[in-house]
Every structure is written in C-alpha cells, then in structure tokens.
Amino acid sequence: MKRRSFIAGSVLVAAARSRAATTPTPAQTRGPFYPLEPPLEHDSDLVRVDGHASPARGTVLHLAGRVLDLAGRPVQGALVEIWQCDANGRYHHPWDRGGAARDAGFQGYGTHRAGAGGAYRFRTIRPVPYPGRTPHIHFAVTAPGADTLVTQMYVRGEPGNRRDVIYNRLPEPLRDLVTVALEPRAGSPGDLEARFDIVIGA
C-alpha cells in the first residue's frame, strides 16, 4: 500500500511539473525605464560597477533559473535581460526624476546568455518598493524563432503585492508563475538567493 501511494504521489508531482512546463510565463509591461541604449557595462553582475570603489547598496540577491520552451525543453542561447531600480528606488534612466539620489555603485541593467540546460544567473540586489509599485525585477527574454517575452518577477510574501495594480492584473494562478521566494544563501551570510524559471512560447 505504501509503495502504491508513493507511485501515485510521484505521478501527481510529474503531472504538475508537466503542466507548469507547458504554461508560458505571462507577459507584463516593459515599463518606461527600459534602457534607451544598453550601458557600456551590462554583464550579469549588477552589484559591482567598474571604476566605482563601493558595491551597490542593498541586500545581494543571487538570481538563477532556466529558460524553457512550451514542452519543458531548455532553450540554450536565449538572451536574458534584467533591469530594476536601485536600493534608493531610482532607475538608472534619464526619465526617472525621483527625489532620491541614484546609487552609482549599482549597474541597474544586465544581460546573460543562457548556457547549457537553458541556465542563466545574475548577481543583483533584492528589489525594493517605490511609490506605486511593489518590489519587482523586469525581464526580457529573446530566443531564436520566438517573440521576445517581457515580464516581471515578484517577491513572495511582500505586503505590497496586494496593492500593486500591475501584479493584480494577472489572474491568481498566473501570479504564482512570476512570484518567487527569497531564501538565505548558504555560505554567503547576509545574501539571498532565488530561482525563477521562464517558459517562452513560439
């Protein structure tokens, strides 16, 4: 009986994973602060900027995941872009004229080309809220033969999620696909880590 229960449970888990793999990550607005042109430095480490002695303010977040197609297969070579505000709530964009000073030690935008297994990773900061928005990170994913997917990643358990208009435009099941848990990173005291897998359609 125990063995049958284990097998049945395994089948249910596999079925759930299969459904998740075939559900595309929902698209969301690009927002007004996508770079007008890529900055000279746009690697996958947003915490260190060449020529700036101090690292970015905020809590370091190690963000990783995979780019998958609708069948759950990895998409090697996909270009993953992220952009977000700094710890002061400012985007590094000329149209953001907020009151706080920009953090010159934060890159604000980065790219990573998905490798074997569709894997990507960034070192950035935990996203912070700013007036009208809950913490989030913008993503754009471009792969051969597919339209560019633009979406946003949110933090599980953030109180501001309940009030964020853009987040709540998504039906609840789709919100879950763009909401991730941030966990302490083993071996890196004070740092966080998160996993965000992205499913792109044709």
Side-chain angles (χ1 to χ4, degrees):
M1 185 63 71
K2 287 183 179 179
R3 185 170 183 274
R4 286 181 184 173
S5 298
F6 174 78
I7 293 173
S10 298
V11 169
L12 289 174
V13 169
R17 286 177 177 166
S18 177
R19 284 196 299 274
T22 56
T23 303
T25 300
Q28 291 213 287
T29 176
R30 185 182 295 267
F33 301 127
Y34 180 79
L36 297 177
E37 59 182 48
L40 292 178
E41 189 173 353
H42 53 268
D43 60 9
S44 61
D45 187 351
L46 282 67
V47 175
R48 286 284 185 183
V49 174
D50 285 347
H52 199 274
S54 301
R57 295 182 57 205
T59 301
V60 173
L61 172 64
H62 301 262
L63 177 58
R66 292 194 301 159
V67 180
L68 307 170
D69 67 15
L70 292 174
R73 297 174 299 223
V75 181
Q76 184 171 355
L79 177 66
V80 183
E81 304 170 77
I82 66 169
W83 63 102
Q84 66 184 103
C85 70
D86 61 27
N88 297 328
R90 292 289 303 276
Y91 284 90
H92 290 207
H93 192 287
W95 295 349
D96 186 353
R97 304 185 186 277
R102 291 191 179 97
D103 177 9
F106 183 59
Q107 192 169 287
Y109 169 87
T111 64
H112 192 276
R113 187 74 65 174
Y120 75 86
R121 65 180 57 251
F122 291 94
R123 192 168 78 115
T124 185
I125 61 169
R126 186 195 197 283
V128 301
Y130 56 87
R133 291 304 314 274
T134 195
H136 62 282
I137 298 176
H138 295 266
F139 276 76
V141 182
T142 305
D147 293 335
T148 296
L149 170 69
V150 177
T151 191
Q152 297 180 32
M153 186 201 85
Y154 299 87
V155 178
R156 192 172 303 282
E158 274 291 332
N161 292 350
R162 297 191 301 269
R163 301 183 297 274
D164 190 278
V165 174
I166 294 173
Y167 181 69
N168 285 284
R169 282 177 187 162
L170 293 172
E172 191 167 349
L174 294 183
R175 280 180 237 153
D176 193 57
L177 298 178
V178 293
T179 310
V180 304
L182 307 187
E183 305 287 351
R185 182 174 174 84
S188 300
D191 289 7
L192 298 172
E193 64 182 4
R195 182 173 187 85
F196 182 42
D197 289 341
I198 301 168
V199 179
I200 60 174

